[in-house]
Coordinates of all heavy atoms in Angstrom, one line a residue:
S1 N -8.5 12.8 8.4 CA -8.7 13.8 9.6 C -8.5 13.2 10.9 O -8.0 13.8 11.7 CB -10.1 14.5 9.4 OG -11.1 13.5 9.5
V2 N -8.9 11.9 11.1 CA -8.7 11.2 12.3 C -7.2 11.1 12.7 O -6.9 11.6 13.7 CB -9.4 9.8 12.4 CG1 -9.0 9.1 13.7 CG2 -10.9 9.9 12.3
A3 N -6.4 10.7 11.7 CA -5.0 10.6 12.0 C -4.4 12.1 12.2 O -3.4 12.2 13.0 CB -4.3 9.9 10.8
G4 N -5.0 13.0 11.5 CA -4.6 14.4 11.6 C -4.6 14.9 13.0 O -3.8 15.7 13.5
E5 N -5.7 14.5 13.7 CA -5.9 14.8 15.0 C -5.2 14.0 16.0 O -4.6 14.5 17.1 CB -7.4 14.8 15.4 CG -8.3 15.9 14.6 CD -7.9 17.3 14.9 OE1 -7.6 17.6 16.1 OE2 -7.7 18.1 13.9
S6 N -5.2 12.7 15.8 CA -4.7 11.7 16.8 C -3.2 11.6 16.8 O -2.5 11.3 17.7 CB -5.3 10.3 16.6 OG -4.8 9.7 15.5
D7 N -2.6 11.8 15.6 CA -1.2 11.7 15.3 C -0.7 10.2 15.6 O 0.4 9.9 16.0 CB -0.4 12.6 16.2 CG 1.1 12.8 15.8 OD1 1.3 12.5 14.6 OD2 1.9 13.2 16.6
R8 N -1.6 9.3 15.2 CA -1.4 7.8 15.5 C -1.4 7.1 14.2 O -2.2 7.2 13.4 CB -2.4 7.2 16.4 CG -2.4 7.5 17.9 CD -3.7 7.3 18.6 NE -4.4 6.1 18.2 CZ -4.2 5.0 18.9 NH1 -3.6 4.9 20.0 NH2 -4.8 3.9 18.4
L9 N -0.3 6.3 14.1 CA -0.1 5.5 12.8 C -1.3 4.5 12.5 O -1.8 4.3 11.4 CB 1.2 4.7 12.8 CG 1.6 3.9 11.5 CD1 1.7 4.9 10.4 CD2 2.8 3.1 11.7
E10 N -1.9 4.0 13.7 CA -3.0 3.1 13.6 C -4.2 3.7 12.9 O -5.1 3.0 12.5 CB -3.4 2.6 14.9 CG -2.3 1.9 15.7 CD -1.5 3.1 16.5 OE1 -2.0 3.5 17.6 OE2 -0.5 3.4 16.1
D11 N -4.3 5.1 13.0 CA -5.5 5.8 12.4 C -5.3 6.1 10.9 O -6.2 6.8 10.3 CB -5.7 7.0 13.2 CG -6.2 6.7 14.6 OD1 -6.7 5.7 14.8 OD2 -6.0 7.4 15.5
T12 N -4.3 5.8 10.3 CA -4.1 6.0 8.9 C -3.5 4.8 8.2 O -3.6 3.6 8.7 CB -3.0 7.2 8.6 OG1 -3.0 7.6 7.4 CG2 -1.6 6.8 9.1
I13 N -3.1 4.9 6.9 CA -2.7 3.8 6.1 C -1.1 3.8 6.1 O -0.5 4.8 6.0 CB -3.2 4.0 4.6 CG1 -4.7 3.7 4.8 CG2 -2.6 2.9 3.8 CD1 -5.5 4.1 3.4
N14 N -0.6 2.6 6.4 CA 0.9 2.4 6.3 C 1.4 2.4 4.9 O 1.1 1.5 4.1 CB 1.1 1.1 7.1 CG 2.7 0.8 7.2 OD1 3.4 1.0 6.3 ND2 3.0 0.4 8.4
Y15 N 2.2 3.4 4.6 CA 2.7 3.7 3.2 C 3.6 2.5 2.8 O 3.6 2.1 1.7 CB 3.5 5.0 3.1 CG 2.8 6.2 3.7 CD1 3.6 7.2 4.2 CD2 1.5 6.2 3.7 CE1 2.9 8.4 4.7 CE2 0.9 7.5 4.2 CZ 1.5 8.5 4.6 OH 0.9 9.6 5.2
S16 N 4.4 1.9 3.8 CA 5.3 0.9 3.4 C 4.5 -0.3 3.1 O 4.9 -1.0 2.2 CB 6.2 0.7 4.7 OG 7.0 -0.5 4.5
A17 N 3.4 -0.6 3.8 CA 2.6 -1.7 3.5 C 1.9 -1.6 2.0 O 1.9 -2.6 1.4 CB 1.5 -1.9 4.5
V18 N 1.5 -0.5 1.7 CA 1.0 -0.2 0.4 C 2.0 -0.5 -0.7 O 1.8 -1.2 -1.7 CB 0.5 1.3 0.3 CG1 0.2 1.6 -1.3 CG2 -0.6 1.5 1.1
S19 N 3.3 0.0 -0.5 CA 4.4 -0.2 -1.4 C 4.7 -1.7 -1.6 O 4.9 -2.1 -2.7 CB 5.6 0.5 -0.9 OG 6.8 0.4 -1.9
K20 N 4.8 -2.4 -0.4 CA 5.1 -3.8 -0.4 C 4.0 -4.7 -1.3 O 4.3 -5.6 -2.0 CB 5.3 -4.4 0.9 CG 6.5 -4.1 1.6 CD 6.7 -4.6 3.0 CE 8.0 -4.2 3.6 NZ 8.0 -4.0 5.1
L21 N 2.8 -4.3 -1.0 CA 1.6 -4.9 -1.6 C 1.7 -4.7 -3.2 O 1.6 -5.7 -4.0 CB 0.3 -4.3 -1.1 CG -1.0 -5.0 -1.5 CD1 -1.0 -6.4 -0.9 CD2 -2.2 -4.2 -1.0
V22 N 2.0 -3.5 -3.6 CA 2.1 -3.2 -5.1 C 3.3 -3.9 -5.6 O 3.2 -4.5 -6.7 CB 2.2 -1.7 -5.2 CG1 2.6 -1.3 -6.6 CG2 1.0 -1.0 -4.9
L23 N 4.5 -3.9 -5.0 CA 5.6 -4.6 -5.4 C 5.3 -6.1 -5.8 O 5.6 -6.7 -6.8 CB 6.7 -4.5 -4.6 CG 7.7 -3.3 -4.6 CD1 8.6 -3.1 -3.4 CD2 8.4 -3.2 -5.9
A24 N 4.7 -6.8 -4.7 CA 4.4 -8.1 -4.8 C 3.5 -8.4 -6.0 O 3.7 -9.4 -6.7 CB 3.8 -8.6 -3.4
K25 N 2.5 -7.6 -6.1 CA 1.6 -7.9 -7.2 C 2.2 -7.7 -8.5 O 1.9 -8.5 -9.5 CB 0.4 -6.8 -7.0 CG -0.8 -7.0 -8.1 CD -1.4 -8.3 -7.9 CE -2.6 -8.3 -8.8 NZ -3.3 -9.7 -8.7
V26 N 3.0 -6.6 -8.7 CA 3.7 -6.4 -10.1 C 4.6 -7.5 -10.4 O 4.7 -8.0 -11.5 CB 4.4 -5.0 -10.0 CG1 5.3 -4.9 -11.2 CG2 3.4 -3.9 -9.9
E27 N 5.4 -8.0 -9.3 CA 6.4 -9.0 -9.5 C 5.8 -10.3 -9.9 O 6.4 -11.1 -10.7 CB 7.3 -9.2 -8.2 CG 8.3 -8.1 -8.1 CD 9.0 -8.0 -6.8 OE1 8.8 -8.9 -5.9 OE2 9.7 -7.1 -6.6
Q28 N 4.5 -10.6 -9.4 CA 3.9 -11.9 -9.8 C 3.1 -11.9 -11.0 O 2.5 -12.8 -11.5 CB 3.3 -12.6 -8.6 CG 2.3 -11.9 -7.9 CD 0.9 -12.1 -8.4 OE1 0.5 -13.3 -8.5 NE2 0.0 -11.2 -8.5
S29 N 2.8 -10.6 -11.4 CA 1.9 -10.3 -12.6 C 2.5 -10.8 -13.8 O 3.7 -10.9 -14.0 CB 1.5 -8.8 -12.6 OG 0.7 -8.6 -13.7
Q30 N 1.6 -11.2 -14.8 CA 2.2 -11.6 -16.1 C 1.3 -11.0 -17.1 O 0.9 -11.7 -18.1 CB 2.1 -13.2 -16.3 CG 2.8 -14.0 -15.2 CD 4.3 -14.2 -15.6 OE1 4.5 -14.7 -16.8 NE2 5.2 -14.0 -14.8
R31 N 0.9 -9.8 -16.9 CA 0.0 -9.1 -17.8 C 0.6 -8.7 -19.2 O 1.8 -8.4 -19.3 CB -0.6 -7.9 -17.2 CG -1.5 -8.2 -16.0 CD -2.6 -9.1 -16.4 NE -3.9 -8.7 -15.8 CZ -5.1 -9.1 -16.1 NH1 -5.2 -9.9 -17.2 NH2 -6.2 -8.7 -15.6
Y32 N -0.2 -8.6 -20.2 CA 0.2 -8.1 -21.5 C 0.2 -6.6 -21.7 O 1.0 -6.0 -22.4 CB -0.7 -8.7 -22.7 CG -0.5 -10.2 -22.8 CD1 -1.4 -11.1 -22.2 CD2 0.6 -10.7 -23.5 CE1 -1.2 -12.5 -22.3 CE2 0.8 -12.1 -23.6 CZ -0.1 -13.0 -23.0 OH 0.1 -14.3 -23.2
T33 N -0.7 -6.0 -20.9 CA -0.8 -4.5 -21.0 C -0.7 -3.8 -19.7 O -1.0 -4.4 -18.7 CB -2.2 -4.1 -21.6 OG1 -3.2 -4.5 -20.7 CG2 -2.4 -4.7 -23.0
V34 N -0.2 -2.6 -19.8 CA -0.2 -1.7 -18.5 C -1.6 -1.4 -18.0 O -1.9 -1.3 -16.9 CB 0.7 -0.6 -18.7 CG1 2.1 -0.7 -18.8 CG2 0.2 0.4 -19.9

């Protein structure tokens, strides 16, 4: 709701950063199961 009112990226979560974090984790993971 804060970002909804302010229209500022700083008030929400950066989708690109989430994607990069997930990619990095999966690429270095060596898990046996999903």
Side-chain angles (χ1 to χ4, degrees):
S1 59
V2 172
E5 292 303 314
S6 73
D7 199 19
R8 288 161 38 100
L9 186 58
E10 307 85 82
D11 293 331
T12 190
I13 290 170
N14 184 315
Y15 310 152
S16 178
V18 170
S19 183
K20 284 179 182 151
L21 190 66
V22 168
L23 274 169
K25 184 70 174 172
V26 172
E27 283 168 4
Q28 59 94 42
S29 177
Q30 300 271 314
R31 291 305 218 161
Y32 290 100
T33 64
V34 288

